[in-house]
Amino acid sequence: MLPTWSVADVHEGFDARSFLAEKERIAADVDRLIQLFDEHGVRAIEHHSATPEDGVAADAVISEYNRVAADLDILGAFIYSSVSTDSRDAAAQAELSEIEPVESRLRPLLSRLADWVGSFDLTDLVAVSSQADEHLGPLGRLAERAGHQMSEREEHLYAELSTTGAGAWGRLQREVTSQLSTCVELPDGDDTLPLTAVRGLATDPDPRIRRAAYDAELLAWPTIEVPVSAAMNAIKGEANIVNRRRNWESPLDASLFANSVSRTTFDAMQSAISASLPDFRRWMRAKATLHGHGGALPWWDLIAPAPVSSGSVTWTEGLDVVRTAFTEFSPNLGGLVDRAVDERWIDAEPRDGKTGGAFCMPFVGDRSLVLLNWSGSAESTQTTAHELGHAYHNTTLAARTALQRRLPMALAETASIFCETLVVEAGLARLDGAEHDAERLALLDVDLQGSNQVVVDIRSRFTFETEVFARRQRRTLSATELCEMMVGAQADAYGDGLDQTTAHPYMWLLKPHYYGSHFYNWPYTYGLLFGLGLFARYREDPDHFRTGYDTLLSRAGMDSAEELGAAFGLDVTDQAFWTASLDVIRARIDAYVELAEKFAPSAP
């Protein structure tokens, strides 16, 4: 039986006295925090040297902001733990809609703090405030952000309107996609399944089932394309307006700033990725041959298990694989697996109304909530390692404040990718020798599927979103146009590795990333390649690496991408770094192609 998480030790339910009291207290705390900002004049002011009175103000507002924001995050996670596992839970949806206005009142305070901090030389403020000293990195980013904000009244209005604007449209996308079911024509008879379960069939060992799931998907998504395309237009149109009013030259510039990544670093990474695309296409063609296709790989086999695979993986077997690899790195990391199970952090069962995919969110103390949709595949094992890597990262952040824990997405993927790599490398080391060739091929297949998704598919998503932003400046985009743009972006990224007649036109509709943030794509690639670079450092000197690893993770919300890389001797502004990380994947592709030739079906 697959695990489901439990948060009843925090509050027994939405009608519990503790929950109602906490909700009331936090709403009042936000109001008092606003008053505190008003009392100390924390907003845009004339630039001047910081005085002792400014130091008192900084100490008061920073410490209180951290406390209130942390409490609100916990309350929000408690509510979302129900919404994400059952979008039909009316009580949970009602509580979510109640907490959103509270969050919208807190959000403008960060803008006010940015304006205020930008009115000083930070060195002056640090000299008179211990809190400013402890938050030098985050405050420095806020001071930079001050130049990309609207007026205080406009930021406050936007925060309030977002709950009925982009936030509401994002909820619509999540709800209609999570509640959609469709009939799949399976070999043993038709079956009606939620779309999350249908998409899970993409990893089924039976090619007939994979094709049937793909066909069913493409018949189901058009039934909700009108409301979801409206959501896409509203969210991206709103982002264009806000970015323009915040003086960003492009949506990408805003994304790079939010992720603490410089344009130089981004361009270096993208150049290395462009050079690697022919290698990924070579892998796809080898995989196509392995599955008996002539030439390119059809979409429904992109994440198919290798035909030499032993088949399904039980939940217990998958956990054992993750636990063993984690323990080889450190007992603390390995112990996290048992702790997550024993303390019921994990919800792994796919079911109707549950959010698709996987995520990890911090909860109380150093505890996390990990959502999975376990499909019994080796890929599910890798996803489990990935999300538990996030959970480990959260344990290193537990002692940090709310401002110090505001992780850019690109750096938030550091631990998750590193943990996935631990699992892959442990498996490859264990499967040495010709007698293990089939198992080795199966493991390489799972690993390269993931890399292909994070490098190639993410490139298609980045290309697509860039074009959406550009066209949305001029007009509203129809569902048909969005589908055409999606297929075009996939053609550019996948090239001749993919049978383009099977491209998936509705990937824009089903991926929640487009509806909750902007350019929620390339940071995954950054995380993968940065994680591979970190793993290379670990291999060079394991003991030294372990001593600094937790500190590195805990500073992910305090340092820039370049600073974090430099702490481990990595120059992320240099294309050579990204090429070296991609060379690790190229070597795995070479090994895969060689093994695939050995196991490919004979031509008739």
Side-chain angles (χ1 to χ4, degrees):
M1 187 173 179
L2 293 172
T4 56
W5 59 35
S6 175
V7 295
D9 60 307
V10 178
H11 303 294
E12 291 184 359
F14 296 129
D15 57 353
R17 184 175 299 176
S18 63
F19 173 78
L20 296 172
E22 185 72 353
K23 186 172 66 169
E24 183 177 350
R25 181 187 68 80
I26 289 175
D29 281 351
V30 170
D31 289 337
R32 282 191 288 269
L33 184 60
I34 294 170
Q35 292 174 7
L36 186 67
F37 271 59
D38 290 342
E39 290 169 10
H40 288 287
V42 177
R43 51 171 41 99
I45 57 175
E46 290 295 320
H47 191 279
H48 68 278
S49 298
T51 66
E53 290 75 17
D54 294 321
V56 171
D59 287 342
V61 298
I62 292 172
S63 59
E64 191 63 5
Y65 176 89
N66 282 327
R67 184 188 68 79
V68 175
D71 289 348
L72 184 55
D73 283 345
I74 292 171
L75 188 68
F78 177 84
I79 296 169
Y80 196 63
S81 70
S82 292
V83 173
S84 60
T85 52
D86 183 6
S87 63
R88 289 190 171 86
D89 186 334
Q93 293 286 8
E95 293 295 345
L96 185 63
S97 67
E98 274 195 52
I99 201 70
E100 285 174 343
V102 180
E103 293 172 336
S104 74
R105 296 205 304 274
L106 180 69
R107 204 173 304 129
L109 296 184
L110 205 56
S111 299
R112 288 177 60 176
L113 183 60
D115 280 334
W116 189 70
V117 169
S119 303
F120 306 103
D121 289 328
L122 265 184
T123 52
D124 291 344
L125 189 60
V126 164
V128 295
S129 167
S130 60
Q131 285 292 319
D133 188 26
E134 291 175 16
H135 294 82
L136 182 60
L139 293 183
R141 295 295 291 171
L142 285 177
E144 290 182 58
R145 170 179 152 172
H148 292 284
Q149 293 187 163
M150 297 179 285
S151 70
E152 181 183 328
R153 292 183 66 182
E154 289 171 322
E155 288 288 351
H156 186 83
L157 177 62
Y158 173 58
E160 283 197 89
L161 289 176
S162 66
T163 62
T164 54
W169 285 110
R171 283 181 64 184
L172 175 69
Q173 186 272 344
R174 292 193 298 272
E175 289 175 25
V176 297
T177 55
S178 68
Q179 295 178 17
L180 184 64
S181 295
T182 192
C183 179
V184 186
E185 297 179 359
L186 298 170
D188 296 332
D190 295 357
D191 194 4
T192 298
L193 300 169
L195 260 292
T196 50
V198 175
R199 284 187 55 75
L201 296 177
T203 61
D204 194 277
D206 188 335
R208 297 172 301 168
I209 292 177
R210 296 195 299 270
R211 175 63 190 269
Y214 165 85
D215 290 340
E217 244 197 286
L218 293 193
L219 287 175
W221 294 126
T223 64
I224 58 171
E225 67 177 10
V226 172
V228 181
S229 64
M232 175 74 80
N233 276 284
I235 290 169
K236 300 310 178 188
E238 178 182 297
N240 273 334
I241 293 169
V242 173
N243 282 330
R244 184 171 66 249
R245 293 184 69 90
R246 285 177 173 166
N247 301 313
W248 291 110
E249 291 188 9
S250 72
L252 178 59
D253 287 333
S255 174
L256 290 171
F257 178 81
N259 281 280
S260 299
V261 172
S262 71
R263 189 61 180 256
T264 300
T265 295
F266 176 81
D267 288 344
M269 180 182 75
Q270 290 295 93
S271 295
I273 290 168
S274 295
S276 75
L277 292 177
D279 294 289
F280 283 98
R281 293 164 186 167
R282 180 164 56 95
W283 169 76
M284 283 182 266
R285 291 193 297 272
K287 184 176 175 71
T289 301
L290 190 63
H291 284 273
H293 303 295
L297 187 66
W299 189 276
W300 58 82
D301 278 345
L302 273 172
I303 57 173
V308 299
S309 170
S310 58
S312 63
V313 180
T314 68
W315 171 249
T316 301
E317 290 168 342
L319 275 187
D320 286 343
V321 168
V322 174
R323 183 189 297 107
T324 299
F326 282 16
T327 303
E328 288 179 7
F329 176 77
S330 77
N332 283 344
L333 184 57
L336 180 88
V337 178
D338 291 324
R339 186 181 170 204
V341 173
D342 294 343
E343 297 181 11
R344 297 189 64 183
W345 296 7
I346 302 173
D347 195 298
E349 177 192 30
R351 53 192 182 274
D352 183 41
K354 182 177 176 180
T355 297
F359 66 74
C360 173
M361 61 180 173
F363 194 35
V364 178
D366 67 347
R367 171 178 167 190
S368 295
L369 294 176
V370 177
L371 183 139
L372 305 168
N373 279 277
W374 180 265
S375 65
S377 65
E379 183 192 25
S380 290
T381 302
Q382 287 296 104
T383 300
T384 302
H386 181 100
E387 299 305 334
L388 287 175
H390 280 303
Y392 185 76
H393 197 168
N394 288 338
T395 67
T396 70
L397 293 165
R400 298 296 188 185
T401 68
L403 282 172
Q404 294 168 338
R405 290 198 304 263
R406 296 180 69 248
L407 300 187
M409 183 192 162
L411 305 183
E413 295 300 317
T414 301
S416 55
I417 298 295
F418 184 81
C419 285
E420 273 197 80
T421 306
L422 288 174
V423 172
V424 172
E425 290 296 325
L428 292 175
R430 185 178 70 252
L431 300 173
D432 194 23
E435 69 276 14
H436 296 299
D437 278 355
E439 294 174 273
R440 190 175 179 84
L441 176 60
L443 180 59
L444 283 168
D445 191 69
V446 172
D447 175 62
L448 290 170
Q449 286 172 21
S451 297
N452 193 61
Q453 285 289 299
V454 174
V455 177
V456 180
D457 194 65
I458 288 294
R459 169 59 75 89
S460 75
R461 296 187 216 176
F462 173 75
T463 301
F464 168 80
E465 192 165 5
T466 300
E467 187 65 14
V468 169
F469 273 121
R471 294 194 193 187
R472 188 65 187 86
Q473 294 274 19
R474 303 189 297 273
R475 65 177 184 278
T476 299
L477 309 176
S478 68
T480 299
E481 188 173 1
L482 291 168
C483 287
E484 291 170 351
M485 292 162 62
M486 189 79 259
V487 170
Q490 288 167 358
D492 288 343
Y494 285 92
D496 61 4
L498 178 72
D499 178 352
Q500 295 296 333
T501 65
T502 70
H504 197 313
Y506 285 99
M507 289 300 288
W508 62 267
L509 181 153
L510 64 96
K511 288 295 181 183
H513 308 73
Y514 296 121
Y515 303 88
S517 187
H518 306 298
F519 287 118
Y520 198 163
N521 37 55
W522 67 263
Y524 277 113
T525 313
Y526 188 103
L528 169 67
L529 301 181
F530 185 67
L532 289 174
L534 278 183
F535 190 82
R537 280 287 185 266
Y538 163 61
R539 277 282 181 80
E540 291 172 6
D541 190 347
D543 291 337
H544 177 72
F545 183 90
R546 288 189 189 97
T547 60
Y549 183 60
D550 284 6
T551 300
L552 168 83
L553 294 181
S554 76
R555 294 194 62 85
M558 302 166 68
D559 296 335
S560 70
E562 290 76 21
E563 290 168 339
L564 211 60
F568 277 83
L570 305 174
D571 182 4
V572 296
T573 66
D574 188 349
Q575 184 176 335
F577 166 76
W578 304 103
T579 299
S581 291
L582 285 159
D583 283 344
V584 174
I585 300 174
R586 285 189 180 93
R588 293 175 184 172
I589 290 173
D590 290 341
Y592 182 96
V593 171
E594 183 178 345
L595 288 170
E597 289 176 357
K598 176 179 177 180
F599 290 98
S602 302

